[in-house]
Amino acid sequence: MLNERASDIEEGYKCSRCGGMFGSCGDYTVRCPFCSMICDEVKCRVVEMNHEEY
């Protein structure tokens, strides 16, 4: 059961402008889908997201 939970966790971003959380899709620089701010690991916090939250 613990391994199943670990596989559901994905690294994503939390936008520093609007607070929206979204997946990175493997890209280093991404645009926030909520406010269109350009996010990277420096500007937006990297967070662990669970697929069950979607």
Side-chain angles (χ1 to χ4, degrees):
M1 186 103 169
L2 183 61
N3 289 340
E4 289 177 19
R5 283 188 164 182
S7 66
D8 286 345
I9 295 175
E10 173 187 349
E11 193 171 86
Y13 293 94
K14 181 170 184 176
C15 181
S16 59
R17 179 191 287 169
C18 72
M21 293 175 56
F22 54 94
S24 64
C25 301
D27 297 333
Y28 177 73
T29 303
V30 294
R31 189 173 293 270
C32 175
F34 305 106
C35 71
S36 298
M37 177 178 160
I38 295 175
C39 289
D40 58 30
E41 292 179 3
V42 175
K43 293 180 185 172
C44 299
R45 289 190 302 167
V46 177
V47 295
E48 289 183 354
M49 299 174 12
N50 188 328
H51 287 289
E52 293 175 2
E53 295 174 1
Y54 293 119

